Amino acid sequence: MERLESVDQVIDRLGGTGRVAVLVGRSPQAVSNWRAQKRISPCLYLMMVSALADRRCGADPALWGMVAPKGAPQGAPKDAPRPEAA
């Protein structure tokens, strides 16, 4: 699984500004703002991580402003099973 390290990489892997806007139901300007702010709206985390998983990619939850409690593991293990798409 490829690990994406930046907001730009996440947006680009999901097809660019326009396609991400359609995917998440936001304006292209909102997506451009995420690029500038280097942070994606946290309420879109599950939707976008699911779309990335379909492309065999992952990304740091911190790109959505999420932080794990101190001492908690970061992300799923590389060999963790993927849930089947419904």
Side-chain angles (χ1 to χ4, degrees), residues 13 17 29-30 34 46-47 50 61 64 68 72-74 76-78 82:
R13 177 58 65 153
T17 301
Q29 183 60 50
W34 302 335
L46 292 177
M47 182 185 307
S50 176
W64 287 266
Q74 296 292 316
K78 290 181 182 180
R82 290 184 51 224

Side-chain angles (χ1 to χ4, degrees), residues 10-83:
V10 169
I11 293 170
D12 291 343
R13 177 58 65 153
L14 294 175
T17 301
R19 287 194 180 193
V20 170
V22 170
L23 172 71
V24 300
R26 301 290 173 95
S27 70
Q29 183 60 50
V31 178
S32 293
N33 289 343
W34 302 335
R35 286 187 190 266
Q37 296 165 358
K38 299 188 184 326
R39 179 167 294 173
I40 301 168
S41 179
C43 65
L44 302 172
Y45 176 75
L46 292 177
M47 182 185 307
M48 293 180 78
V49 166
S50 176
L52 287 171
D54 290 343
R55 291 159 178 82
R56 299 193 183 276
C57 296
D60 188 343
L63 298 176
W64 287 266
M66 298 181 185
V67 292
K70 192 172 187 174
Q74 296 292 316
K78 290 181 182 180
D79 58 348
R82 290 184 51 224

